[in-house]
Amino acid sequence: MTDPQIYVALTDIFRQVLEDPSIDLRPETTADDVEGWDSMNHIFIVVEIEKRFRVKFHAAEMEELKNVGELVAVLKQKLPPG
């Protein structure tokens, strides 16, 4: 899966969970940049990412992430090659 494909899927998840069709994720996007991305919605976002990509995150992995670019990097490590 390519980076652009991952960003499209993540943007779709964020828009769905946060009910905001205007969200446009970029590598430098943080929770402070997205209205409604609080700790509770973060959990819902992670659950949706795990379902969509069929991966599992450890809590420590998610706590260390500083922006969407880092999320994509961790996600890519969990996806099968190709």
Side-chain angles (χ1 to χ4, degrees):
M1 186 169 241
T2 66
D3 282 12
Q5 291 171 319
I6 292 171
Y7 277 96
V8 166
L10 288 178
T11 298
D12 182 53
I13 290 167
F14 275 72
R15 288 176 176 177
Q16 174 188 341
V17 171
L18 300 177
E19 299 178 349
D20 182 352
S22 69
I23 292 173
D24 183 27
L25 298 180
R26 302 185 187 286
E28 64 276 4
T29 302
T30 68
D32 292 337
D33 300 324
V34 180
E35 187 173 334
W37 186 2
D38 56 21
S39 57
M40 183 58 87
N41 280 326
H42 184 75
I43 294 167
F44 295 133
I45 290 166
V46 171
V47 168
E48 286 301 316
I49 292 170
E50 288 178 333
K51 285 197 295 191
R52 176 86 55 100
F53 290 95
R54 296 185 183 111
V55 298
K56 278 289 188 200
F57 291 104
H58 299 286
E61 288 175 315
M62 299 311 290
E63 291 171 7
E64 293 175 10
L65 300 179
K66 294 177 181 64
N67 57 42
V68 173
E70 290 183 10
L71 170 60
V72 170
V74 170
L75 182 55
K76 283 179 67 174
Q77 291 174 359
K78 295 181 175 294
L79 293 174

